[in-house]
Amino acid sequence: MYIYERKQLDFFEDAIKMLLVNSNYTEIEDIDCISLRNASFINSGNIRFWFKSGISVCESLKNIEYALNADELFSVKKLTEKDFDINRILEKNRPFVLGPISKRKLLQKIDANYYDGERNYIYCFSYNGELFIHEPDGVPFLMVDAKDYSKMFEQKDYLFQICVNSNIEISAPNRIKVLKNWLEAKRASRLSLDDVSNYNYTKLCNMNIADEISFGFAVKNYLIQISKMFKYLEKNSEFNQNCKVFKEYASELNDITFNKHYERINTLIKNIDDYLISSILEEVS
């Protein structure tokens, strides 16, 4: 059985990868890239939600199906707490991904007190009449007690239940095609942002301590997600040189994320986004 490889702040990629592998499909790498989830971010409103993906769950799954040339690979249901019939789920004995769950109470994670921008998806399966989950922060085979089901729905009107359909032929993604689609999505996202309301981080200088921590996690999530695209680029030898520039920006951004250097953070994020759009998109167009 495939289990999580590393810790992140956004767990959609790991959960979907586990679902595919454990449904007897070939392991698919770079899911956040081929789904375009890490090409678009929401940077407005409450700081607790900054830099979460701007691509919806259904859009993400459709993008994966398109990249794999596999229509109807996924089936998706919206489940309210009332719809969450555990007996029916156990009876079907079918693995699924559930999310975005609330981990503030169910998993009691400290970062959840400050940051809600991450997408908490969990891989679920039944065994011996019990529901088990692989918890994305590193706790595999966690049995969920019936009294805790409601905690997954805290402050959620519904959750997505994602299943994989069997016997669907899939093809390896075309790397250049994926890269071009990702960069076009990044450009559309970048151009739609209002510099004053979304990228002017100097306005954050009067934040309280809790907001400062929230902002730090938000920028950290951006850095983790955008790094996935540069790792994707490194797999294409013609783009290795481009990755060196990013690593310089990323190293500095990582060092100052929690140090209140808001104007410099603003500049570095703009530089990274603009570098992707202006330099690399031009090469693949």
Side-chain angles (χ1 to χ4, degrees), residues 161-208:
Q161 183 188 32
I162 305 168
C163 296
V164 169
N165 298 316
S166 57
N167 301 319
I168 304 293
E169 290 189 15
I170 64 174
S171 305
N174 181 301
R175 288 193 173 277
I176 298 301
K177 187 176 180 180
V178 168
L179 179 56
K180 187 173 182 179
N181 288 341
W182 190 96
L183 290 168
E184 291 287 2
K186 164 57 71 177
R187 179 168 65 176
S189 171
R190 182 68 181 85
L191 294 177
S192 69
L193 290 173
D194 175 19
D195 284 345
V196 175
S197 63
N198 291 325
Y199 271 81
N200 184 9
Y201 298 122
T202 56
K203 70 179 181 180
L204 302 175
C205 293
N206 296 320
M207 290 189 297
N208 58 39

Side-chain angles (χ1 to χ4, degrees), residues 6-15 30-43 50-55 60 115 117-121 182 186 216-233 246 250 253-254 272-273 276:
R6 59 196 177 279
K7 294 184 179 181
Q8 307 185 59
L9 290 176
D10 184 305
F11 306 110
F12 178 87
E13 179 176 79
D14 278 333
D30 312 302
I31 285 175
D32 274 336
C33 294
I34 67 175
S35 69
L36 310 184
R37 291 186 70 254
N38 60 347
S40 175
F41 299 104
I42 295 173
N43 298 23
W50 280 26
F51 289 113
K52 72 176 181 180
S53 176
I55 305 294
S60 300
Y115 187 55
E118 70 267 36
R119 305 287 82 189
N120 299 302
Y121 290 86
W182 190 96
K186 164 57 71 177
F217 277 118
V219 175
K220 189 69 68 176
N221 190 47
Y222 165 84
L223 190 53
I224 292 171
Q225 289 299 99
I226 208 73
S227 294
K228 293 177 183 179
M229 174 43 65
F230 282 92
K231 290 177 181 177
Y232 189 80
L233 285 169
F246 165 74
L253 184 58
N254 184 66
I272 291 170
D273 284 358
L276 279 165

Side-chain angles (χ1 to χ4, degrees), residues 27-83:
E27 181 174 338
I28 304 299
E29 299 289 344
D30 312 302
I31 285 175
D32 274 336
C33 294
I34 67 175
S35 69
L36 310 184
R37 291 186 70 254
N38 60 347
S40 175
F41 299 104
I42 295 173
N43 298 23
S44 59
N46 194 313
I47 297 172
R48 294 178 61 97
F49 297 93
W50 280 26
F51 289 113
K52 72 176 181 180
S53 176
I55 305 294
S56 72
V57 172
C58 293
E59 282 181 285
S60 300
L61 296 174
K62 286 297 182 184
N63 290 335
I64 295 172
E65 290 176 340
Y66 177 74
L68 300 178
N69 194 28
D71 291 342
E72 299 183 356
L73 176 61
F74 298 102
S75 59
V76 185
K77 289 182 179 180
K78 287 183 178 180
L79 295 180
T80 65
E81 186 176 349
K82 184 181 292 187
D83 297 328

Side-chain angles (χ1 to χ4, degrees), residues 110-129:
I110 293 176
D111 61 281
N113 293 321
Y114 300 98
Y115 187 55
D116 293 311
E118 70 267 36
R119 305 287 82 189
N120 299 302
Y121 290 86
I122 52 177
Y123 171 74
C124 308
F125 64 99
S126 59
Y127 180 74
N128 285 346

